[in-house]
PDB file of all heavy atoms in Angstrom:
ATOM      1  N   LEU A 210      58.574  19.024 -72.442  1.00  0.00           N
ATOM      2  CA  LEU A 210      57.509  19.440 -71.529  1.00  0.00           C
ATOM      3  C   LEU A 210      56.427  20.150 -72.332  1.00  0.00           C
ATOM      4  O   LEU A 210      56.730  21.001 -73.167  1.00  0.00           O
ATOM      5  CB  LEU A 210      58.086  20.362 -70.460  1.00  0.00           C
ATOM      6  CG  LEU A 210      57.155  20.885 -69.371  1.00  0.00           C
ATOM      7  CD1 LEU A 210      56.612  19.734 -68.526  1.00  0.00           C
ATOM      8  CD2 LEU A 210      57.905  21.873 -68.482  1.00  0.00           C
ATOM      9  N   ASP A 211      55.180  19.814 -72.072  1.00  0.00           N
ATOM     10  CA  ASP A 211      54.076  20.350 -72.856  1.00  0.00           C
ATOM     11  C   ASP A 211      53.096  21.086 -71.940  1.00  0.00           C
ATOM     12  O   ASP A 211      52.624  20.529 -70.960  1.00  0.00           O
ATOM     13  CB  ASP A 211      53.367  19.189 -73.579  1.00  0.00           C
ATOM     14  CG  ASP A 211      52.326  19.675 -74.565  1.00  0.00           C
ATOM     15  OD1 ASP A 211      52.287  20.879 -74.864  1.00  0.00           O
ATOM     16  OD2 ASP A 211      51.545  18.833 -75.061  1.00  0.00           O
ATOM     17  N   HIS A 212      52.801  22.349 -72.266  1.00  0.00           N
ATOM     18  CA  HIS A 212      51.878  23.175 -71.497  1.00  0.00           C
ATOM     19  C   HIS A 212      52.365  23.346 -70.045  1.00  0.00           C
ATOM     20  O   HIS A 212      51.882  22.676 -69.123  1.00  0.00           O
ATOM     21  CB  HIS A 212      50.462  22.599 -71.501  1.00  0.00           C
ATOM     22  CG  HIS A 212      49.784  22.702 -72.824  1.00  0.00           C
ATOM     23  ND1 HIS A 212      49.973  21.782 -73.830  1.00  0.00           N
ATOM     24  CD2 HIS A 212      48.923  23.635 -73.329  1.00  0.00           C
ATOM     25  CE1 HIS A 212      49.253  22.120 -74.884  1.00  0.00           C
ATOM     26  NE2 HIS A 212      48.613  23.249 -74.613  1.00  0.00           N
ATOM     27  N   PHE A 213      53.296  24.244 -69.878  1.00  0.00           N
ATOM     28  CA  PHE A 213      53.932  24.500 -68.577  1.00  0.00           C
ATOM     29  C   PHE A 213      53.684  25.939 -68.146  1.00  0.00           C
ATOM     30  O   PHE A 213      53.899  26.875 -68.929  1.00  0.00           O
ATOM     31  CB  PHE A 213      55.430  24.232 -68.682  1.00  0.00           C
ATOM     32  CG  PHE A 213      56.220  24.603 -67.457  1.00  0.00           C
ATOM     33  CD1 PHE A 213      56.111  23.863 -66.297  1.00  0.00           C
ATOM     34  CD2 PHE A 213      57.086  25.692 -67.475  1.00  0.00           C
ATOM     35  CE1 PHE A 213      56.837  24.189 -65.176  1.00  0.00           C
ATOM     36  CE2 PHE A 213      57.821  26.033 -66.361  1.00  0.00           C
ATOM     37  CZ  PHE A 213      57.699  25.277 -65.203  1.00  0.00           C
ATOM     38  N   ALA A 214      53.206  26.126 -66.914  1.00  0.00           N
ATOM     39  CA  ALA A 214      52.971  27.464 -66.371  1.00  0.00           C
ATOM     40  C   ALA A 214      53.774  27.643 -65.079  1.00  0.00           C
ATOM     41  O   ALA A 214      53.638  26.840 -64.146  1.00  0.00           O
ATOM     42  CB  ALA A 214      51.490  27.682 -66.100  1.00  0.00           C
ATOM     43  N   PHE A 215      54.606  28.678 -65.043  1.00  0.00           N
ATOM     44  CA  PHE A 215      55.413  29.009 -63.857  1.00  0.00           C
ATOM     45  C   PHE A 215      55.128  30.472 -63.551  1.00  0.00           C
ATOM     46  O   PHE A 215      55.649  31.375 -64.203  1.00  0.00           O
ATOM     47  CB  PHE A 215      56.898  28.788 -64.164  1.00  0.00           C
ATOM     48  CG  PHE A 215      57.820  28.952 -62.990  1.00  0.00           C
ATOM     49  CD1 PHE A 215      58.040  27.909 -62.106  1.00  0.00           C
ATOM     50  CD2 PHE A 215      58.477  30.159 -62.766  1.00  0.00           C
ATOM     51  CE1 PHE A 215      58.900  28.053 -61.022  1.00  0.00           C
ATOM     52  CE2 PHE A 215      59.330  30.318 -61.687  1.00  0.00           C
ATOM     53  CZ  PHE A 215      59.545  29.265 -60.821  1.00  0.00           C
ATOM     54  N   LYS A 216      54.259  30.726 -62.538  1.00  0.00           N
ATOM     55  CA  LYS A 216      53.793  32.091 -62.334  1.00  0.00           C
ATOM     56  C   LYS A 216      53.713  32.456 -60.857  1.00  0.00           C
ATOM     57  O   LYS A 216      53.375  31.629 -60.001  1.00  0.00           O
ATOM     58  CB  LYS A 216      52.436  32.295 -62.994  1.00  0.00           C
ATOM     59  CG  LYS A 216      51.366  31.284 -62.595  1.00  0.00           C
ATOM     60  CD  LYS A 216      50.122  31.411 -63.459  1.00  0.00           C
ATOM     61  CE  LYS A 216      49.055  30.376 -63.090  1.00  0.00           C
ATOM     62  NZ  LYS A 216      47.873  30.453 -63.961  1.00  0.00           N
ATOM     63  N   PHE A 217      54.062  33.718 -60.592  1.00  0.00           N
ATOM     64  CA  PHE A 217      53.991  34.285 -59.243  1.00  0.00           C
ATOM     65  C   PHE A 217      54.833  33.510 -58.231  1.00  0.00           C
ATOM     66  O   PHE A 217      54.480  33.396 -57.061  1.00  0.00           O
ATOM     67  CB  PHE A 217      52.538  34.384 -58.754  1.00  0.00           C
ATOM     68  CG  PHE A 217      51.622  35.085 -59.709  1.00  0.00           C
ATOM     69  CD1 PHE A 217      50.553  34.410 -60.294  1.00  0.00           C
ATOM     70  CD2 PHE A 217      51.824  36.416 -60.053  1.00  0.00           C
ATOM     71  CE1 PHE A 217      49.699  35.046 -61.188  1.00  0.00           C
ATOM     72  CE2 PHE A 217      50.986  37.060 -60.949  1.00  0.00           C
ATOM     73  CZ  PHE A 217      49.916  36.381 -61.521  1.00  0.00           C
ATOM     74  N   ASN A 218      55.939  32.951 -58.691  1.00  0.00           N
ATOM     75  CA  ASN A 218      56.882  32.274 -57.801  1.00  0.00           C
ATOM     76  C   ASN A 218      58.043  33.217 -57.482  1.00  0.00           C
ATOM     77  O   ASN A 218      58.292  34.179 -58.190  1.00  0.00           O
ATOM     78  CB  ASN A 218      57.417  31.005 -58.464  1.00  0.00           C
ATOM     79  CG  ASN A 218      56.325  30.001 -58.774  1.00  0.00           C
ATOM     80  OD1 ASN A 218      55.786  29.356 -57.898  1.00  0.00           O
ATOM     81  ND2 ASN A 218      55.984  29.869 -60.059  1.00  0.00           N
ATOM     82  N   ARG A 219      58.775  32.892 -56.419  1.00  0.00           N
ATOM     83  CA  ARG A 219      59.961  33.669 -56.053  1.00  0.00           C
ATOM     84  C   ARG A 219      61.131  32.721 -55.849  1.00  0.00           C
ATOM     85  O   ARG A 219      60.985  31.680 -55.212  1.00  0.00           O
ATOM     86  CB  ARG A 219      59.701  34.481 -54.787  1.00  0.00           C
ATOM     87  CG  ARG A 219      60.821  35.471 -54.479  1.00  0.00           C
ATOM     88  CD  ARG A 219      60.412  36.521 -53.477  1.00  0.00           C
ATOM     89  NE  ARG A 219      60.491  36.057 -52.101  1.00  0.00           N
ATOM     90  CZ  ARG A 219      59.485  36.025 -51.245  1.00  0.00           C
ATOM     91  NH1 ARG A 219      58.274  36.399 -51.637  1.00  0.00           N
ATOM     92  NH2 ARG A 219      59.638  35.597 -50.007  1.00  0.00           N
ATOM     93  N   VAL A 220      62.296  33.088 -56.388  1.00  0.00           N
ATOM     94  CA  VAL A 220      63.497  32.270 -56.250  1.00  0.00           C
ATOM     95  C   VAL A 220      64.516  33.060 -55.445  1.00  0.00           C
ATOM     96  O   VAL A 220      64.849  34.194 -55.792  1.00  0.00           O
ATOM     97  CB  VAL A 220      64.074  31.893 -57.630  1.00  0.00           C
ATOM     98  CG1 VAL A 220      65.316  31.045 -57.464  1.00  0.00           C
ATOM     99  CG2 VAL A 220      63.025  31.146 -58.456  1.00  0.00           C
ATOM    100  N   GLU A 221      65.020  32.453 -54.366  1.00  0.00           N
ATOM    101  CA  GLU A 221      65.950  33.113 -53.475  1.00  0.00           C
ATOM    102  C   GLU A 221      67.204  32.248 -53.290  1.00  0.00           C
ATOM    103  O   GLU A 221      67.152  31.034 -53.456  1.00  0.00           O
ATOM    104  CB  GLU A 221      65.333  33.351 -52.091  1.00  0.00           C
ATOM    105  CG  GLU A 221      64.031  34.132 -52.107  1.00  0.00           C
ATOM    106  CD  GLU A 221      63.404  34.205 -50.728  1.00  0.00           C
ATOM    107  OE1 GLU A 221      63.854  33.449 -49.829  1.00  0.00           O
ATOM    108  OE2 GLU A 221      62.460  34.998 -50.541  1.00  0.00           O
ATOM    109  N   SER A 222      68.319  32.900 -52.929  1.00  0.00           N
ATOM    110  CA  SER A 222      69.517  32.140 -52.584  1.00  0.00           C
ATOM    111  C   SER A 222      70.285  32.889 -51.487  1.00  0.00           C
ATOM    112  O   SER A 222      70.176  34.098 -51.365  1.00  0.00           O
ATOM    113  CB  SER A 222      70.426  31.951 -53.805  1.00  0.00           C
ATOM    114  OG  SER A 222      70.910  33.216 -54.248  1.00  0.00           O
TER     115      SER A 222
END
Side-chain angles (χ1 to χ4, degrees):
L210 182 63
D211 188 11
H212 290 83
F213 173 71
F215 186 84
K216 53 189 178 183
F217 308 117
N218 299 287
R219 189 164 81 238
V220 180
E221 304 174 347
S222 64

